[in-house]
Amino acid sequence: MRKSASWMTIWDDRILEYIEENGSASPSELDKSGYFQVSRSQVSRRLRRLKEKGMLQHLGNGVYVITPIGEDYLEGDLDAEELNGENGGEGTASA
């Protein structure tokens, strides 16, 4: 079972799942997919937040891919509450 963090929303899981399944995504692609019932600007904010926490990598031109941290979270191997600061991948554990 996944261990989400207090900073996460239900859309974060959906975004990560979509990107894992499709290889990459941009805010406009996610908006057009029909899977998200929030605005494109809200999706963009969530993408940036997931990038800050190390779950996504921004490739440029609005395209994001999932990182090993994001994959670990989706597999239930990572407690997202342990991600702290920008690029949470390097300094993940707060203990």
Side-chain angles (χ1 to χ4, degrees):
M1 178 180 286
R2 294 181 193 153
K3 299 174 187 161
S4 63
S6 58
W7 54 266
M8 295 181 80
T9 72
I10 191 169
W11 303 112
D12 294 342
D13 279 29
R14 304 260 192 307
I15 289 168
L16 291 167
E17 290 165 354
Y18 184 93
I19 293 174
E20 181 183 48
E21 185 174 313
N22 293 282
S24 67
S26 67
S28 59
E29 181 183 339
L30 292 167
D31 186 45
K32 292 175 187 174
S33 72
Y35 292 118
F36 304 92
Q37 304 304 314
V38 293
S39 69
R40 181 175 166 180
S41 62
Q42 178 65 13
V43 168
S44 293
R45 280 192 294 275
R46 297 318 307 162
L47 287 166
R48 286 191 302 270
R49 184 68 162 159
L50 291 166
K51 178 192 153 297
E52 289 171 0
K53 296 297 185 175
M55 294 176 141
L56 294 177
Q57 177 183 359
H58 185 234
L59 299 180
N61 296 324
V63 176
Y64 290 83
V65 294
I66 196 163
T67 66
I69 292 169
E71 291 172 347
D72 286 348
Y73 168 74
L74 288 178
E75 292 171 9
D77 295 334
L78 171 77
D79 181 350
E81 198 65 60
E82 294 178 358
L83 299 176
N84 49 345
E86 299 232 352
N87 298 320
E90 297 173 5
T92 51
S94 56

